[in-house]
Amino acid sequence: MAADYEVFDRVAERLRQRNQYRPADSYSTQMFTTGLAEICGKIREEAEELASAAEQLPGNQDQVLHEAADLMFHMLMLLEARGASLGQVADMLCRREGISGLEEKRTRGE
């Protein structure tokens, strides 16, 4: 199956609409209404679940992919809540492309 990277744009657009119109029967509406702290907490939870799934024995690939999708969904939600876009993340990656990770960290003072 060919990768459909446009799914990220479709999900981001759906989240933008949910944030704007706030339909009552939407998980995304609940998260946007609860606020940024709740979204950040969910990202921490999903990141931990992804890391835990990845550390398990081989053959757990479906669970790793499931948790990665959950994390990506909530990351897109966070970007929407902060008024940022996946395109801006891509721009940041392009600016950092070809720069050593160690050098990039030094320029940030870490």
Side-chain angles (χ1 to χ4, degrees), residues 77-103:
M77 183 180 289
L78 174 71
L79 291 173
E80 169 60 29
R82 288 295 309 257
S85 72
L86 194 55
Q88 289 172 303
V89 174
D91 289 345
M92 178 63 71
L93 285 172
C94 286
R95 287 197 302 271
R96 292 167 49 181
E97 191 173 17
I99 299 171
S100 160
L102 296 174
E103 180 61 30

Side-chain angles (χ1 to χ4, degrees), residues 7-23 26-33 39 43 69-86:
V7 68
F8 297 114
D9 292 330
R10 291 191 302 271
V11 171
E13 176 58 22
R14 186 172 303 120
L15 287 168
R16 187 192 66 71
Q17 290 176 2
R18 296 284 164 87
N19 191 22
Q20 182 177 0
Y21 299 111
R22 305 280 174 110
S26 165
Y27 167 77
S28 301
T29 295
Q30 289 177 336
M31 294 296 288
F32 288 127
T33 300
I39 295 168
I43 286 176
D70 285 351
L71 181 57
M72 291 293 297
F73 175 83
H74 288 91
M75 182 199 72
L76 291 170
M77 183 180 289
L78 174 71
L79 291 173
E80 169 60 29
R82 288 295 309 257
S85 72
L86 194 55

Side-chain angles (χ1 to χ4, degrees), residues 31-89:
M31 294 296 288
F32 288 127
T33 300
T34 308
L36 193 58
E38 184 74 17
I39 295 168
C40 289
K42 192 64 178 170
I43 286 176
R44 288 182 193 95
E45 176 189 324
E46 297 299 345
E48 180 59 38
E49 290 174 2
L50 174 59
S52 293
E55 289 175 335
Q56 293 177 10
L57 296 174
N60 195 36
Q61 195 73 342
D62 283 345
Q63 189 65 29
V64 169
L65 295 174
H66 177 88
E67 299 301 345
D70 285 351
L71 181 57
M72 291 293 297
F73 175 83
H74 288 91
M75 182 199 72
L76 291 170
M77 183 180 289
L78 174 71
L79 291 173
E80 169 60 29
R82 288 295 309 257
S85 72
L86 194 55
Q88 289 172 303
V89 174

